[in-house]
Every structure is written in structure tokens, then in C-alpha cells.
Amino acid sequence: MNKHPLNDLLEPVVEKQGYELIRILTIGAKNPTLQVMIDRKDGKEVTVDDCATVSRALSAVLDEADPIENRYSLEVSSPGIDRPLTKPVHFSRFAGYEAKIETLTEIDKRKRFKGRIAGIDGAENILFEMDGVHYIIPFAEVAKAKILMTDELLKKYAEAQSEVVL
């Protein structure tokens, strides 16, 4: 999976704030939006305050480094329920969930997969099941991947949100 050019600059800032960097996207050409997607390391839902905290820290670094030529907008957001999968550990964490994967090159004569994540094999390969067929997809070949919104996912999300830690 390709890293954004600003990944090396911004990921340490996000990590220092106690969050995980999920993805960076630049949207638009003239006055672009720099979208930074974060997640909490404790598994709780990302709040508006979390986004504001990370946004302030990123703004300071971006102002100093000035890596974007023209005007731009910074947007810090959560990955949401149907989150992108951008690291091998995500495929391990979300094993059993339904997902879509697009690959850079054909694997078994296809580039698009829609099925269930079976896990990972080391840090190199994603184990994936689709229509009763098992695939081994090298992580290096993943162009993009995301969890699919399903009733099962919504149920687990609702259960996680209703848990109270004493």
C-alpha cells in the first residue's frame, strides 16, 4: 500500500498524541484538503475533542515545515465503522469481518475481492475467503481495502459502545 508523501512527517506527531494514523489523503488540486484519519489506540470511539487535539498538533508541524505550496484545509477525522484497512495489523484485528480489497495486480485472475478476512500470515499476506475460495493476498499488492458495513458489524459496534468500564 502506498504511503502518502507527508506520512513520515505526520505519523510521529499523531503517535506522540497517543493515536494511530490510519490514512492521509490529499483531496482536490486547487486549495486541497489534507485529510488525516486517526484512531484511538484504546479501541474507543474517536471524539471531536480527539480530532481537535490532533489537528492542533498537526497544524503546528505543518506550519513550521510548510510542505504544501498553496492554501489548503486540514481535516482530521475518525475511520468510522466501515473503516479503511491500511496496515497488516488491521487485517488481523478485523479477522472474521467482511471487507473489500482491490489489488495493484491480478491475483488468481482478479483485482477485486469481496468476502471475509480470515487473518494474516505473518506480516506479508492477507488470508481472505470469498465465495468458498481461499485467497492469499500479499499486503504489498493491496491498493485499497475497507471493512464492509454489515448487520453483524453494526451489532458489534453497538455492543462496544454500550460497554461501561468501571
Side-chain angles (χ1 to χ4, degrees):
M1 197 164 274
N2 292 336
K3 287 183 5 176
H4 190 278
L6 295 177
N7 199 85
D8 291 340
L9 175 67
L10 301 183
E11 187 166 29
V13 177
V14 172
E15 293 282 328
K16 185 176 180 183
Q17 297 299 313
Y19 300 90
E20 176 189 6
L21 177 65
I22 301 299
R23 178 178 74 191
I24 301 173
L25 287 177
T26 303
I27 303 165
K30 185 179 179 187
N31 300 326
T33 297
L34 180 64
Q35 182 189 67
V36 179
M37 192 175 288
I38 62 168
D39 203 1
R40 291 178 56 119
K41 290 184 177 183
D42 62 8
K44 293 181 181 176
E45 187 175 343
V46 174
T47 66
V48 172
D49 288 340
D50 294 324
C51 292
T53 297
V54 173
S55 180
R56 282 190 294 276
L58 292 176
S59 290
V61 169
L62 289 165
D63 287 348
E64 185 178 319
D66 199 21
I68 301 172
E69 257 186 49
N70 297 316
R71 293 179 54 181
Y72 68 94
S73 299
L74 174 62
E75 175 186 297
V76 178
S77 66
S78 75
I81 297 174
D82 56 342
R83 60 180 295 133
L85 304 168
T86 59
K87 301 174 183 174
V89 69
H90 295 161
F91 291 92
S92 178
R93 179 175 163 196
F94 294 100
Y97 288 95
E98 291 185 37
K100 283 171 82 172
I101 299 175
E102 278 187 41
T103 57
L104 299 169
T105 60
E106 285 189 354
I107 296 171
D108 293 338
K109 298 183 181 179
R110 64 181 320 127
K111 290 177 80 173
R112 291 187 174 92
F113 299 82
K114 182 178 176 183
R116 191 167 296 275
I117 302 167
I120 59 171
D121 177 12
E124 306 284 321
N125 299 310
I126 300 160
L127 307 175
F128 202 76
E129 189 270 322
M130 183 175 79
D131 300 326
V133 177
H134 295 272
Y135 294 90
I136 297 174
I137 302 171
F139 181 74
E141 287 297 317
V142 175
K144 61 184 177 178
K146 71 177 237 164
I147 293 286
L148 292 176
M149 184 80 70
T150 63
D151 289 340
E152 174 190 13
L153 180 63
L154 288 171
K155 182 181 175 189
K156 287 189 180 196
Y157 178 78
E159 288 170 0
Q161 296 308 306
S162 67
E163 289 179 9
V164 178
V165 179
L166 300 176

